[in-house]
Amino acid sequence: MRYNAGGAGLTGSEENPLVSVVIPTFNEAEVIERTIAEVSAILKREGIEYEIIVVDDNSPDGTWRIVEEVSKRDPRVRLYRRIGARGLSTAILDGIKFAKGKYVVVMDADLQHPPRYLPQLIRKALNEGYEIVVASRYARGGGVAGWSRLRLMISKGATLLAKLLVKGARKTSDPMSGFFLVRRDLVLSRIEQLRPRGYKVLLEILARIDNARVGEVPYVFEPRRAGKSKLGFKVMLDYIIHVIELSQLAKFAIVGAGGTVVNLAIMYLLLYIAGLGKAVSSIAGIESGLLWNFVFNEVWTFEAGFRKGWLARLAAYHASSAGGFLATFLTMYMLSTYMGVNPILGQFIGILVGFIVNYVASSRGVWRIGGEGQGG
Ligand code: GDD
Ligand code: MN
């Protein structure tokens, strides 16, 4: 069986390959030639029309020079040398834009993503109509070779976090995989929405393109044979920020934590410094927190940026927060009046009671997320 897109046979149709293999590199001089050779051999053997695009960030070890030489001999190999740019996710997206294939497979240069899985990924898309196919370490039959228990725990914890917070991530057992296939037109159609950061471009794609049909193929992540991993502490920190950015619920909670501090601080000032009554202080605190929350949810959580209709959203936010407002005030009032609880502590407990009510109400009513929203 041949899998060519244009039907022009194996040679001479670099114009419209079925598959573009995008390989990002930074300092992979030791291994890149071998990787290109293995990928080429497998795809040729299967009769798949392909091109290989190496996106190199001007590696100091001269990876790009090696690729340039190979590309002179083999027209299916193309080099995209980025000067003055650095970053795995942007390199991958640039490679996808540069590619011509119907499908793009993204894989690492260091052979930790073994090229022998390529035909399965491609076949899965072709025969079963998937738009994204993930090579998964955590599907049955997949795995990781030679990882410490700690590294495995970190990876699994990070995967769990992504699945909890990002709806699109739940479609695969390995949303953090760096080895996957995607239809190029699908990515291009959403390219404006994609905000590549850090390492996890698949997670970004799954989050922003949440109606894609996603399949997976199990694979075993091999130990690195040459060169060094670029994944360090900063990459992990970036990841956590990335997941938060993709999750409206996490952003909403962070904004709410800030609003809580504002609420309590204002109440404290009015009650103890200005000497006002607890009811007035409580209500002024709640309203201050509400305004704080509105501004940051408008700008950050739901990314509406005070676009047209913000006054109506402000009004709707107040309406949908009315239950939480009342719950906070009544909790504070009851606890402090009848149970001798300090009013500030009572207010704090009241805020917790009101939080869930508020999230449900405003996600349904004000910003209308939940149905087709990105986050979970
Ligand atoms: N162009 C470019 N620019 N390439 C980069 C950069 C960069 O800034 N940083 C890393 N790369 C390339 C590396 O040369 C390698 O080909 C690939 O990206 C992955 O980098 P590694 O440093 O080897 O990552 P890893 O092995 O720790 O993790 C990989 O596998 C995991 C499991 O699939 C990554 O692909 C992870 O995203 C993935 O979760
Ligand atoms: Mn690697």
Side-chain angles (χ1 to χ4, degrees):
M1 177 169 186
R2 297 177 81 82
Y3 305 105
N4 42 16
L10 194 63
T11 53
S13 66
E14 298 88 36
E15 289 308 303
N16 276 310
L18 178 67
V19 179
S20 301
V21 180
V22 170
I23 306 179
T25 55
F26 193 74
N27 288 345
E28 305 287 1
E30 282 175 80
V31 71
I32 188 63
E33 197 163 359
R34 178 164 163 209
T35 305
I36 293 173
E38 284 192 21
V39 169
S40 304
I42 283 163
L43 295 178
K44 273 183 194 160
R45 193 186 68 208
E46 298 283 323
I48 295 169
E49 284 294 338
Y50 72 94
E51 64 176 352
I52 296 174
I53 294 169
V54 177
V55 187
D56 185 74
D57 288 353
N58 205 22
S59 296
D61 76 351
T63 305
W64 56 272
R65 207 172 286 125
I66 297 169
V67 179
E68 198 171 59
E69 281 309 309
V70 176
S71 73
K72 282 181 193 154
R73 299 193 301 269
D74 183 348
R76 290 190 194 78
V77 176
R78 300 161 71 203
L79 168 68
Y80 189 160
R81 180 179 168 203
R82 304 198 308 167
I83 295 173
R86 212 21 243 288
L88 181 53
S89 285
T90 58
I92 290 170
L93 285 184
D94 280 345
I96 294 177
K97 288 185 213 158
F98 193 59
K100 295 188 196 138
K102 177 173 182 201
Y103 297 102
V104 174
V105 175
V106 177
M107 68 189 293
D108 292 353
D110 54 13
L111 295 174
Q112 294 192 274
H113 297 157
R116 67 172 178 279
Y117 295 101
L118 283 169
Q120 292 174 51
L121 287 173
I122 296 162
R123 230 171 270 140
K124 191 100 186 164
L126 276 182
N127 298 346
E128 293 170 50
Y130 290 110
E131 295 160 315
I132 297 174
V133 183
V134 180
S136 169
R137 294 163 291 180
Y138 303 128
R140 194 201 300 261
V144 283
W147 271 18
S148 69
R149 192 170 285 186
L150 179 69
R151 173 127 197 232
L152 191 64
M153 254 171 57
I154 292 175
S155 174
K156 288 205 164 161
T159 303
L160 191 70
L161 185 70
K163 288 190 179 193
L164 277 175
L165 293 180
V166 182
K167 199 167 85 190
R170 292 171 209 150
K171 289 190 184 171
T172 166
S173 56
D174 195 358
M176 323 264 288
S177 180
F179 190 12
F180 60 93
L181 170 148
V182 62
R183 267 181 65 155
R184 193 168 60 92
D185 57 356
L186 193 69
V187 176
L188 294 184
S189 71
R190 299 287 180 94
I191 203 90
E192 309 282 87
Q193 279 112 285
L194 295 173
R195 308 225 171 82
R197 67 175 295 149
Y199 253 46
K200 303 304 173 190
V201 80
L202 175 62
L203 183 64
E204 180 74 24
I205 290 173
L206 289 169
R208 307 281 182 199
I209 309 180
D210 53 7
N211 55 350
R213 292 177 30 100
V214 182
E216 59 185 24
V217 165
Y219 90 104
V220 177
F221 187 74
E222 301 275 326
R224 211 179 223 280
R225 297 190 213 166
K228 276 204 306 273
S229 170
K230 283 102 209 160
L231 197 150
F233 178 71
K234 180 165 182 305
V235 170
M236 287 188 219
L237 197 72
D238 267 0
Y239 165 71
I240 304 231
I241 296 172
H242 191 182
V243 173
I244 289 172
E245 284 281 340
L246 290 174
S247 167
Q248 288 173 337
L249 178 60
K251 290 199 217 175
F252 194 86
I254 290 170
V255 169
T260 302
V261 173
V262 170
N263 180 335
L264 296 177
I266 296 288
M267 180 174 173
Y268 183 91
L269 284 177
L270 296 181
L271 187 62
Y272 293 120
I273 312 288
L276 298 180
K278 73 179 176 188
V280 171
S281 307
S282 165
I283 289 170
I286 299 172
E287 179 58 25
S288 307
L290 219 63
L291 291 175
W292 162 284
N293 288 354
F294 179 78
V295 169
F296 286 95
N297 284 327
E298 172 79 13
V299 174
W300 190 47
T301 311
F302 301 107
E303 296 172 18
F306 287 99
R307 269 198 302 275
K308 198 166 144 285
W310 70 267
L311 261 173
R313 285 197 292 280
L314 180 62
Y317 185 61
H318 274 84
S320 74
S321 305
F325 200 123
L326 209 64
T328 305
F329 177 75
L330 288 179
T331 305
M332 184 288 299
Y333 198 84
M334 302 289 208
L335 288 178
S336 62
T337 307
Y338 301 110
M339 298 177 73
V341 173
N342 173 285
I344 303 284
L345 179 62
Q347 180 97 333
F348 180 65
I349 297 169
I351 291 169
L352 298 181
V353 174
F355 175 75
I356 294 165
V357 180
N358 277 348
Y359 177 71
V360 172
S362 54
S363 64
R364 301 273 147 83
V366 184
W367 285 278
R368 286 178 218 294
I369 59 163
E372 31 102 54
Q374 307 139 346

